[in-house]
Amino acid sequence: MPPILRGLRVVELSAFVAAPLAGATLASLGAEVVRIDPPGGGVDANRWPLHGERSLYWAGLNQGKRSVTLDTRTEKGREVATRLVAAAGMALTNLPTAGWSSYERLRGVRPDLIMAVLTGNPDGSTAVDYTVNAAVGFPFVTGPEGWQGPVNHVLPAWDALTGYLLATGLLAAELHRARTGEGQLLRLSLADVALSVASALGFIAEAQLTAAPRGRFGNDLYGTYSHDFRTSDGRHLIVVALTPRQWQAVVEATGLAAEVRRLEAERGRDLRREGDRFTARAEITALLQGWVGRLTYSEVSEAFEGGQVLWGPYQTFKELVRDDERCSARNPMFEELDQPGIGRYLRAASPLVFSAADRVPPRPSPEMGADTEAVLRSWLGLTDPEIEALASERVIPAPGAA
């Protein structure tokens, strides 16, 4: 069966995380995504982490795409880029859109164009994941209890959510075009994504409706029960109990029923309730750490698995790829591939699985500009003399050179 997005074409002009992730998401579902970069690459071509002198960051966010190098500072470069956008009918960018790259101009050559423009703030001003996160409030509820000052997190969560939402928006616009024949301009900002999520999770309402600000609770889970523990052989694990059944599983697997009943009587709490587990979290953690701390990781694992406890190990990235079968070629999502200039390592396909379409296998990211000639021939029908003329004027790399 063909991939779910076979036949969809997208031109991407992007940098950083969210927009490239949106393009990679579409490519992983079978769309033909052509990324246009300037000669020498864009601002993120050499971003860390590096392997040797090659960016693992760039390779990860651009796998499965095709790469065209084009100097859009030149009139002919802008003309070629415009023709590529017209041929695709869908464009994705988080770069400034003015002059040749504005929706109004590009729609003039492709009336049903779908164009997605991502900005930092909704007014178009600059913001990135880290500044957005700082402003929304999460650094003041992240970190150890009692810590003073903000604590940043490592995962660029707003970039990731925005990338996936941007891909969703493009597909929604494509569905609308298929029904009506009408293209459109799609706007999205990182800040609005963060605010939307903060609203959905109740943070904004809580800030308006409660007198005291939300505090920090370290590795405790606000409003319910979860904590980290250490076994006698030094392994770290997490235990979660969100529901009465999950809590009962913890109590039964640890054999702490009598101690839990005594705690409930002393505190006047019913620990089957999430809120009561949260208010008694310190005492619960002391009980569980006493039990976990006497056992090895293997012994805890056996008891928890047998009792259907909701738990899991803490792992480093090294441990993840070494020990976890979910992150291995035994998971159909993964495959070991050779990435030019870097080497052989695991690459992930889309995590989506469709019953009526084949999964697109993982593919390497392109060498910068490696598809320039092929795309100009297949998309625009340019001849060898025309390609050579563009190369001679340095609009594109010389034939055979990336």
Side-chain angles (χ1 to χ4, degrees), residues 80-249:
V80 172
T82 299
R83 291 179 62 188
L84 288 173
V85 170
M90 183 176 286
L92 160 65
T93 189
N94 65 332
L95 303 180
T97 54
W100 79 269
S101 63
S102 69
Y103 173 69
E104 291 73 18
R105 181 184 177 280
L106 293 172
R107 185 177 58 175
V109 296
R110 178 71 188 252
D112 67 343
L113 174 67
I114 294 169
M115 183 171 178
V117 176
L118 173 65
T119 59
N121 289 309
D123 64 1
S125 59
T126 301
V128 296
D129 182 286
Y130 311 104
T131 62
V132 167
N133 191 63
V136 170
F138 285 95
F140 285 102
V141 296
T142 302
E145 193 167 355
W147 184 268
Q148 298 299 312
V151 176
N152 293 331
H153 60 202
V154 176
L155 175 70
W158 308 123
D159 273 333
L161 290 168
T162 299
Y164 287 132
L165 185 59
L166 196 57
T168 302
L170 283 166
L171 295 179
E174 172 63 18
L175 179 61
H176 174 82
R177 180 168 64 181
R179 290 171 172 170
T180 67
E182 180 183 26
Q184 61 184 300
L185 174 63
L186 167 65
R187 295 187 180 92
L188 184 65
S189 77
L190 279 171
D192 277 350
V193 172
L195 291 167
S196 175
V197 172
S199 175
L201 296 179
F203 285 98
I204 291 176
E206 182 185 37
Q208 288 183 292
L209 301 174
T210 62
R214 172 83 67 91
R216 286 191 168 101
F217 300 101
N219 284 343
D220 291 312
L221 183 57
Y222 178 72
T224 184
Y225 186 78
S226 176
H227 201 76
D228 62 291
F229 299 92
R230 189 176 184 184
T231 64
S232 64
D233 52 351
R235 291 290 301 274
H236 292 271
L237 57 91
I238 185 170
V239 175
V240 183
L242 306 176
T243 68
R245 186 195 64 77
Q246 292 168 358
W247 170 244
Q248 190 60 34

Side-chain angles (χ1 to χ4, degrees), residues 369-370 373 387 397-402:
E373 296 173 47
I387 290 174

Side-chain angles (χ1 to χ4, degrees), residues 320-368:
L320 172 68
V321 299
R322 185 190 67 201
D323 302 331
D324 198 321
E325 289 197 357
R326 294 170 296 184
C327 187
S328 74
R330 289 183 290 276
N331 181 343
M333 183 178 74
F334 280 104
E335 187 176 326
E336 281 204 348
L337 298 177
D338 283 315
Q339 176 61 48
I342 294 177
R344 189 172 183 84
Y345 60 97
L346 285 173
R347 307 299 291 267
S350 171
L352 291 169
V353 180
F354 298 93
S355 65
D358 282 340
R359 175 183 254 161
V360 177
R363 294 173 289 170
S365 59
E367 290 282 272
M368 189 77 69

